Amino acid sequence: TKSVCEDLFTKKGVSWQLATTPCNGFYCDLLSYQKTSHPSLSKREIGSLLSKIDLDLAATIDVRRPENMYKKIHRISMRKKDKDSLVTYSPKQHIRDKTNAMELPSSPANTITENPSSPTTESELIVSLNYSALTCTTPVLQSSVPPRIRRKRSYDQIHVNRRESRAKNKYQKLEIEYKQLKKSHSELIRQSRQQQTQIKNLKAQLSKTRIKLYEKMNTNRRNLKRVGKLRNVTGRVSDELQRNAQADRIIVQNMTQKLQQLDTEYCELEEKYKEAKEKIEEFLNGTNIPKTKEGNKFTNDIRILYYRLLAEQIPPGKIEKSIKIVVESLFPQIDAKNLQLPKASLGSKMRSCELPTVSKAHQASVLSESDSYHVNSDGTTLNQKKVQGFLVNGMTLGITDVSDGSAKAAVDSLDLQFKVIREVGKELGIKGSEDIGWRLIDSVMSDQASTQKSFNKLIKEKAHQELQERGSLDTIDVVQPIFETFCGMHLGVNLRKAQVTGLNEAVKDMDLPTNIPGIDTVVHSVCKLLGHLGAHPEYGKGVRAFPEYLSNLLDEAKEVGDSPSEEEEELKSAMSIKLARQVGSRYFVTSRNAGRILSLSKRATQFLEALKVTKDLNNLERDVLEHLKSAQVLALLKVDGLLFDQVYADLMLLLKSNELNKKYLDMNPHYLELSKHLQLLVSSPRLVLDPSIKVFTSESRLYGENKKINHRLHTNSKQVRACLYSHDDFDEKFTFPLIKKASQCMLDKLKAYKAEQLPGGKLWKPNQAVCNALGNIEPTNDLCEGILGLNDWIQKRTPNFSQRTVSAMVEVLKNSTMPWFCKQTTDVKDKIISLAKRRSEQVRKEEHALLESNRRKRKANRKAEEEKARTKRLKQIQKEEELSKIPIIATTTELEDALNDAPGTTAKQQQAAKMLIIKQQLEVRLHAKGKRLILSQKGRKKTVDDLLKELSIIMEEEESQTKASLPDNLVGSKLNHKLHDDSMNISEWYTGEVTCISEETISIKYEGYSDTFEWDKKEILEDIQNNDLLFLIH
């Protein structure tokens, strides 16, 4: 023990000797104790003590040099050997016999032995008797056998004896431990039985407690939930007691404490219930009218009520009356007429001046928790004014009125939003609100308008500027990159525009004898005549007469036969097809309606032909009938419907479906699949007629059995698709060139719009930084489009609202500000309301200042535009004066002579002179037609030959018009001639008769005039071409 080591190093009259060879651990612990408890002992003193203890050590080292003994023992203790192994002094070690060591005279009082049955509990135990047996004698008596003779004993016999003694000791220890374990086992069995008895008693007590709680619960309904919790707790505690028998006592004690706490809480709740019940009875009896004011100010509860009602767009003038009606209906005992509530003026002030501050507080609390921002931006024109909308991380910051549609105005607007949010956050003490700003923006979503692209470029400059103002630019090497993202729905719209452009170009290249209207014109005119807005017609009676016509045909078909025929099924499907309302182009309604119109074209043509028999068709009906009879128009409808079925419908689902839940980077493989499909259509247009073709093969859900995702499973879609993919009346020579050209234009647009998300682009194989920034970004800008749509709806509903008020309404609705506000603590609510009241006047002044600033900027912009227009007009006048001085070359022969006589001594000078002559002649002619001279085409500068060819075509047309003459047999023909009166600035039609035709003039006599008027033939030809002169009778 510790006292043995103390005796060894402190008491000089007591000496110790080792009975056997010690283990390595003995000297390790001994020296460790010496260093910690007696560091002042010298090596010589320690060596002297060790020579007296260990006789083997004294025999191997000179006793006259104790410091050498210390070094020897120190080396032994530092060896990396097992502590239980014996000490090795030298290669030829001399070991004393254990029996000789036991012959030493000893006293029982001074002998230290270890009790194997009692475990060591002192952490300071240094000398372990497991390593060696120590014997204390006073004084030390030497053995009768000399040390040298004892060392000659057999080493093997000593080890055998040692093993036997160890085995005997281990057996004794195991026997003692077995007895103790047996005793402890019986004790545990006894304790477990006692615990089971206690558990039964506790269960009985718990059942009684449960009965009491049920009785109290019936008397107090407000504590029903708490009693239910108590029942669950007691059930869980009883289960826990059954599972863990050893911890039952502790659990029961904890349960008892919880029951006491619950009883205390129950008593408190019961008292509160009684107080609340008394207050309710007083309130119902009318003895206590609720207080709505504290002094001369309304309470915060009233303001919160008004905030919530204003957020639901209830007019301030109706809130007071509505509340009183509710109180009178539910609590007739209260005199609601005397209930003091804010008037309409104060409610209006809350809406326009206080609600914006509450919204900014919500924005500051949310944005302060984000380390990076994703900005959605978009602008629009409303009531001839520009407005700009912004969202950050899905949080609507506001929709502000800007002076113009420039990128700088948009950046200034967003900067003002950030500034106000930081101010509100600082006033409320929101941690991290001071960091809200440009430097946290890492991605931007917009369309590909030039203004939005410029806005994206200015963001990085604002981030640099903000870091310079904060003085932290030196600590940041490079501002974090800002990733530009573009809306996928705008891609679809641009693909549709490219398709229409390709169709128009393909039709123009075919040189058809008749003019074919555009696909949009056809679809709009048919929808205008036969379309539906819900169940109401958009135009005329055709929308009601057409279903009735189909219904009559269906009745006639039923009368012919008993069993349903194919005609009946076709009529039923035609009656179920409804044309979608034409509301913009973001959702491809025109392409959707193209396929439906094609499936209805046969019956619609029959309807209009039948209608033509009974009455004269109006212009719209006549145009629709002409369109539906044209094979070329039906081909255009077929192409548009096929592209919608294969591309637009699935693309819209990928971008907008909540079930598919696609993110921005998830669309990369789908854009690649779309480009491959368009390339296939360009190379082989016939593939468009394959109904089993799958464009977006990586997303199998588009072609599965879910009707919400697979539009092909709809009943109407089946009928429309059957018509689209049929080969009846199909003109390959006309349709396939349309598909090829439209697909090529769509492919070019896709590669230009989504170049970064296609192979080789920056976002095709994104790194970790790109994934972190854009991993959770939506593929469309519908969030920003949504707030602009809501802003437009509120403005039309309440045109007298200021833009600041409308923006606040949009913010609290889109951000769910009121639910967030109601969840805050009372202190936070009071703080926000107090700040809103303090900032109300500041909000009003800021709004007026912003309106005045925008007004001045608009005025300056208008003056600049007027000055620009005036300068442009002066240039035009100057240009006209210059062109008027240029002699006009009338014929191609004169042009050839002028080019041959071009001045210049060298070929280069003559070529420049020819170019000048041609340019002047082209400018004169194009300026007269209101056109401009274009000197380049597709990035290539036009040569002299190109310009000469263009000029020759124009001059040939002029010559053909000049040579045209009216036939002589027009004499006596009746005509209507539209003439313009310069003095009255009006145009009127006059009826006349041709009296004479000469080589250069034509004579006409008008009714009501005795004189005959002579006209130049050129003027008459121009009037005929402009439809200002119509011949009636020849």
Side-chain angles (χ1 to χ4, degrees):
T1 62
K2 187 176 181 180
S3 60
V4 174
C5 297
E6 291 291 335
D7 292 343
L8 179 64
F9 288 100
T10 58
K11 296 181 181 180
K12 304 300 182 181
V14 179
S15 298
W16 300 88
Q17 284 184 353
L18 291 171
T20 60
T21 301
C23 301
N24 289 324
F26 172 77
Y27 281 115
C28 291
D29 294 340
L30 187 65
L31 292 181
S32 177
Y33 178 81
Q34 177 267 325
K35 288 180 182 179
T36 57
S37 301
H38 300 281
S40 61
L41 292 177
S42 64
K43 296 180 180 180
R44 189 176 184 82
E45 292 176 350
I46 297 171
S48 299
L49 292 173
L50 296 177
S51 65
K52 295 177 183 179
I53 295 172
D54 196 347
L55 297 179
D56 292 336
L57 181 65
T60 57
I61 300 177
D62 190 2
V63 181
R64 292 174 295 179
R65 299 293 299 273
E67 60 272 15
N68 292 340
M69 293 185 181
Y70 175 81
K71 294 179 181 179
K72 180 70 174 179
I73 295 303
H74 186 267
R75 286 197 297 272
I76 291 171
S77 64
M78 295 299 291
R79 289 175 184 171
K80 297 182 179 179
K81 292 185 177 181
D82 188 12
K83 289 187 176 183
D84 295 332
S85 62
L86 298 176
V87 174
T88 303
Y89 298 100
S90 64
K92 296 181 180 180
Q93 180 180 4
H94 301 283
I95 304 173
R96 292 173 296 166
D97 188 18
K98 182 177 180 180
T99 56
N100 295 333
M102 296 298 293
E103 292 175 1
L104 293 175
S106 60
S107 174
N110 295 330
T111 301
I112 304 301
T113 61
E114 180 183 8
N115 184 10
S117 62
S118 60
T120 304
T121 58
E122 296 185 4
S123 62
E124 299 86 356
L125 178 60
I126 301 300
V127 181
S128 175
L129 297 181
N130 293 327
Y131 300 146
S132 60
L134 292 177
T135 305
C136 178
T137 59
T138 307
V140 176
L141 300 180
Q142 300 294 331
S143 173
S144 60
V145 183
R148 292 182 180 178
I149 296 174
R150 291 199 304 272
R151 295 190 197 98
K152 294 179 181 180
R153 298 295 178 87
S154 174
Y155 179 75
D156 296 335
Q157 184 64 32
I158 292 173
H159 273 279
V160 169
N161 295 336
R162 185 176 296 158
R163 291 191 191 99
E164 291 177 356
S165 62
R166 287 180 179 174
K168 186 177 181 181
N169 290 336
K170 288 183 178 180
Y171 176 77
Q172 290 175 355
K173 289 179 181 180
L174 290 173
E175 187 176 5
I176 293 170
E177 289 178 358
Y178 172 73
K179 292 179 180 179
Q180 289 180 349
L181 289 173
K182 187 175 181 181
K183 185 178 179 180
S184 61
H185 179 67
S186 60
E187 181 66 22
L188 287 174
I189 291 174
R190 187 183 61 82
Q191 290 179 1
S192 64
R193 289 176 180 174
Q194 291 179 356
Q195 289 176 354
Q196 288 177 0
T197 305
Q198 292 177 358
I199 289 170
K200 291 180 180 179
N201 297 334
L202 288 172
K203 285 183 177 179
Q205 293 178 3
L206 287 173
S207 62
K208 294 179 181 179
T209 305
R210 189 182 294 113
I211 293 171
K212 291 181 180 180
L213 290 175
Y214 284 155
E215 292 176 354
K216 293 180 180 180
M217 186 171 59
N218 292 330
T219 58
N220 187 1
R221 294 182 179 178
R222 287 198 170 191
N223 296 328
L224 182 61
K225 293 183 180 180
R226 189 172 295 277
V227 174
K229 292 180 181 179
L230 178 60
R231 182 179 59 188
N232 295 334
V233 171
T234 54
R236 288 196 297 269
V237 170
S238 62
D239 294 339
E240 189 71 15
L241 288 172
Q242 294 175 1
R243 288 193 300 266
N244 303 318
Q246 295 180 356
D248 285 342
R249 183 178 299 175
I250 299 173
I251 294 174
V252 169
Q253 291 176 356
N254 295 336
M255 187 60 198
T256 305
Q257 294 177 0
K258 289 181 180 179
L259 287 174
Q260 292 176 356
Q261 293 177 359
L262 289 174
D263 288 337
T264 304
E265 293 178 0
Y266 173 77
C267 295
E268 294 177 356
L269 289 173
E270 192 173 11
E271 293 178 358
K272 291 181 179 179
Y273 170 74
K274 291 180 180 180
E275 294 177 359
K277 187 175 180 181
E278 292 177 357
K279 290 182 179 179
I280 291 173
E281 290 178 354
E282 293 178 355
F283 182 79
L284 294 176
N285 295 330
T287 57
N288 186 13
I289 298 177
K291 293 183 179 180
T292 58
K293 275 191 172 184
E294 292 179 357
N296 294 329
K297 297 181 179 180
F298 288 99
T299 61
N300 289 343
D301 293 336
I302 295 298
R303 286 190 176 269
I304 294 173
L305 174 61
Y306 264 64
Y307 290 165
R308 297 180 66 180
L309 295 176
L310 290 171
E312 297 298 330
Q313 303 183 33
I314 298 179
K318 295 184 178 181
I319 293 179
E320 180 184 8
K321 186 177 180 180
S322 301
I323 294 175
K324 290 182 177 181
I325 291 174
V326 172
V327 172
E328 288 178 353
S329 301
L330 298 181
F331 308 104
Q333 299 87 351
I334 298 176
D335 186 9
K337 295 181 180 180
N338 296 327
L339 192 64
Q340 293 183 344
L341 293 172
K343 301 298 180 183
S345 59
L346 181 56
S348 178
K349 182 180 179 182
M350 291 180 188
R351 181 178 60 188
S352 60
C353 299
E354 296 182 15
L355 208 57
T357 302
V358 177
S359 176
K360 295 303 175 187
H362 183 201
Q363 297 170 15
S365 66
V366 173
L367 296 182
S368 61
E369 299 174 356
S370 301
D371 297 331
S372 60
Y373 294 158
H374 172 70
V375 178
N376 294 77
S377 66
D378 198 6
T380 186
T381 302
L382 185 63
N383 297 331
Q384 299 181 353
K385 292 183 180 179
K386 300 288 184 179
V387 292
Q388 192 76 23
F390 300 101
L391 291 96
V392 176
N393 291 354
M395 175 69 65
T396 303
L397 296 192
I399 304 170
T400 56
D401 186 8
V402 292
S403 59
D404 52 30
S406 63
K408 186 178 183 305
V411 167
D412 294 340
S413 176
L414 183 56
D415 189 47
L416 180 62
Q417 297 287 342
F418 281 148
K419 180 181 177 182
V420 175
I421 293 173
R422 286 195 298 267
E423 290 178 357
V424 173
K426 183 179 179 181
E427 291 286 341
L428 296 175
I430 299 175
K431 186 178 179 180
S433 60
E434 65 277 0
D435 296 330
I436 297 174
W438 296 95
R439 65 186 185 86
L440 296 180
I441 298 175
D442 61 0
S443 58
V444 183
M445 167 70 76
S446 63
D447 55 21
Q448 275 209 343
S450 58
T451 302
Q452 293 298 326
K453 288 184 177 180
S454 302
F455 171 77
N456 298 340
K457 293 179 182 178
L458 291 175
I459 290 178
K460 195 168 185 178
E461 299 178 5
K462 294 294 292 184
H464 275 283
Q465 181 181 353
E466 187 176 78
L467 290 173
Q468 289 178 352
E469 293 175 354
R470 292 170 179 260
S472 57
L473 188 59
D474 297 337
T475 61
I476 300 177
D477 297 333
V478 181
V479 178
Q480 62 179 355
I482 298 175
F483 300 99
E484 288 183 317
T485 59
F486 301 105
C487 176
M489 288 300 294
H490 283 84
L491 166 65
V493 174
N494 288 333
L495 289 178
R496 177 66 171 62
K497 291 180 180 178
Q499 170 207 326
V500 174
T501 302
L503 293 176
N504 294 337
E505 291 179 358
V507 171
K508 186 177 180 181
D509 294 340
M510 293 179 186
D511 296 330
L512 297 175
T514 57
N515 293 328
I516 300 177
I519 182 66
D520 290 343
T521 303
V522 173
V523 173
H524 277 268
S525 59
V526 175
C527 289
K528 191 175 183 181
L529 180 64
L530 304 177
H532 281 255
L533 171 57
H536 303 286
E538 288 188 16
Y539 178 85
K541 299 180 180 179
V543 72
R544 289 194 295 268
F546 183 54
E548 292 177 1
Y549 175 77
L550 295 178
S551 179
N552 294 334
L553 291 180
L554 181 60
D555 295 338
E556 293 175 1
K558 289 180 179 179
E559 293 176 358
V560 174
D562 296 334
S563 59
S565 61
E566 294 182 0
E567 185 180 4
E568 291 183 31
E569 297 296 331
E570 190 266 335
L571 287 170
K572 288 180 180 179
S573 62
M575 292 179 67
S576 63
I577 295 175
K578 306 296 182 184
L579 299 180
R581 186 185 179 195
Q582 293 289 129
V583 282
S585 59
R586 279 183 56 80
Y587 299 103
F588 312 110
V589 289
T590 304
S591 295
R592 186 194 304 270
N593 284 333
R596 297 180 180 181
I597 292 171
L598 183 65
S599 62
L600 292 173
S601 59
K602 180 180 177 182
R603 296 299 179 182
T605 304
Q606 292 178 0
F607 164 69
L608 292 175
E609 289 287 356
L611 193 64
K612 184 178 180 181
V613 176
T614 59
K615 70 164 191 172
D616 294 335
L617 300 180
N618 57 31
N619 292 336
L620 179 62
E621 293 168 344
R622 190 164 44 251
D623 293 341
V624 170
L625 180 58
E626 183 180 352
H627 296 335
L628 297 180
K629 282 184 175 182
S630 173
Q632 290 81 7
V633 171
L634 295 179
L636 289 175
L637 293 172
K638 192 181 191 72
V639 172
D640 203 8
L642 287 170
L643 291 175
F644 173 81
D645 183 74
Q646 296 180 4
V647 177
Y648 300 132
D650 293 331
L651 179 62
M652 183 170 61
L653 283 169
L654 288 171
L655 293 170
K656 298 178 67 65
S657 175
N658 293 329
E659 294 188 21
L660 297 178
N661 194 23
K662 296 289 183 179
K663 301 303 179 183
Y664 190 79
L665 296 178
D666 297 338
M667 294 299 298
N668 291 3
H670 302 313
Y671 293 143
L672 178 60
E673 292 167 346
L674 178 57
S675 65
K676 291 180 178 179
H677 177 68
L678 294 176
Q679 289 174 355
L680 286 175
L681 294 183
V682 172
S683 60
S684 179
R686 189 178 298 275
L687 292 174
V688 78
L689 295 176
D690 183 6
S692 62
I693 194 169
K694 296 180 180 180
V695 180
F696 305 101
T697 55
S698 61
E699 185 52 76
S700 59
R701 287 178 290 180
L702 289 173
Y703 311 98
E705 300 299 326
N706 190 350
K707 288 187 177 181
K708 292 183 179 179
I709 299 176
N710 190 355
H711 67 91
R712 300 162 187 82
L713 300 178
H714 299 166
T715 306
N716 291 342
S717 296
K718 292 179 181 179
Q719 175 69 16
V720 173
R721 295 184 82 243
C723 182
L724 286 174
Y725 291 99
S726 67
H727 294 268
D728 298 339
D729 301 331
F730 183 72
D731 187 2
E732 295 184 1
K733 295 182 179 179
F734 182 77
T735 306
F736 287 161
L738 296 178
I739 295 172
K740 185 174 182 179
K741 188 65 176 179
S743 301
Q744 184 62 53
C745 292
M746 292 171 66
L747 181 61
D748 296 339
K749 178 60 70 174
L750 176 63
K751 290 181 178 180
Y753 197 96
K754 288 295 180 181
E756 294 185 348
Q757 292 182 260
L758 292 173
K762 297 179 182 178
L763 305 180
W764 173 245
K765 293 182 178 180
N767 53 27
Q768 190 60 38
V770 175
C771 292
N772 294 337
L774 306 180
N776 295 322
I777 300 303
E778 296 295 331
T780 66
N781 200 25
D782 282 357
L783 290 174
C784 205
E785 298 287 349
I787 65 171
L788 291 175
L790 181 59
N791 177 82
D792 188 11
W793 181 79
I794 295 177
Q795 282 280 24
K796 291 179 179 178
R797 188 166 172 261
T798 52
N800 294 330
F801 279 8
S802 65
Q803 184 58 47
R804 173 66 267 178
T805 303
V806 176
S807 177
M809 302 292 290
V810 174
E811 292 169 27
V812 296
L813 284 174
K814 287 293 184 179
N815 298 336
S816 300
T817 300
M818 286 300 107
W820 168 86
F821 184 65
C822 294
K823 291 179 182 178
Q824 304 303 309
T825 60
T826 304
D827 295 338
V828 174
K829 290 179 184 177
D830 295 343
K831 201 171 183 180
I832 294 175
I833 292 174
S834 177
L835 177 62
K837 291 192 291 186
R838 290 199 311 270
R839 292 190 78 254
S840 60
E841 187 63 25
Q842 180 182 351
V843 170
R844 188 183 63 81
K845 290 181 180 179
E846 289 176 353
E847 181 182 3
H848 285 295
L850 180 62
L851 292 175
E852 183 64 23
S853 175
N854 290 337
R855 188 187 64 80
R856 290 196 300 268
K857 290 179 180 179
R858 290 192 186 98
K859 184 178 180 180
N861 292 338
R862 186 169 60 254
K863 288 184 177 180
E865 291 174 358
E866 292 175 354
E867 182 65 23
K868 185 177 179 180
R870 189 179 66 83
T871 304
K872 184 179 179 180
R873 181 59 184 164
L874 291 176
K875 288 182 179 180
Q876 289 179 351
I877 294 173
Q878 184 178 0
K879 186 71 174 177
E880 290 175 357
E881 292 178 355
E882 293 176 357
L883 294 175
S884 63
K885 297 178 182 179
I886 297 175
I888 298 177
I889 301 175
T891 62
T892 55
T893 304
E894 294 177 359
L895 178 63
E896 292 177 359
D897 295 340
L899 294 177
N900 293 331
D901 297 338
T905 57
T906 62
K908 187 175 182 180
Q909 292 178 353
Q910 290 180 354
Q911 194 76 0
K914 290 180 181 179
M915 174 69 78
L916 179 60
I917 294 171
I918 296 172
K919 283 173 59 177
Q920 289 177 347
Q921 296 300 317
L922 279 174
E923 284 181 350
V924 170
R925 286 166 169 80
L926 293 176
H927 183 76
K929 297 179 180 180
K931 299 180 181 180
R932 294 177 59 189
L933 176 62
I934 300 175
L935 298 176
S936 62
Q937 186 176 10
K938 295 182 179 181
R940 184 182 66 85
K941 189 175 181 180
K942 292 182 179 180
T943 62
V944 175
D945 295 336
D946 296 334
L947 294 176
L948 180 59
K949 182 178 180 181
E950 185 177 350
L951 178 60
S952 300
I953 292 172
I954 296 175
M955 294 180 69
E956 288 176 359
E957 292 179 355
E958 292 177 351
E959 290 179 2
S960 62
Q961 291 177 1
T962 304
K963 293 178 181 179
S965 59
L966 294 173
D968 295 335
N969 58 0
L970 286 178
V971 177
S973 299
K974 297 290 184 179
L975 55 83
N976 284 340
H977 198 180
K978 184 179 181 181
L979 301 176
H980 183 75
D981 189 352
D982 294 334
S983 60
M984 302 295 292
N985 196 19
I986 58 175
S987 298
E988 292 184 3
W989 286 92
Y990 295 88
T991 303
E993 182 181 352
V994 178
T995 58
C996 180
I997 298 178
S998 63
E999 294 182 357
E1000 296 181 357
T1001 62
I1002 179 172
S1003 301
I1004 300 175
K1005 183 178 181 181
Y1006 297 99
E1007 294 180 359
Y1009 295 89
S1010 58
D1011 297 335
T1012 301
F1013 296 87
E1014 291 187 357
W1015 299 93
D1016 190 89
K1017 279 189 176 182
K1018 292 182 179 180
E1019 295 177 350
I1020 295 298
L1021 289 172
E1022 289 180 0
D1023 290 345
I1024 293 174
Q1025 292 175 358
N1026 296 331
N1027 293 326
D1028 290 338
L1029 192 149
L1030 303 175
F1031 287 96
L1032 301 179
I1033 301 174
H1034 176 57

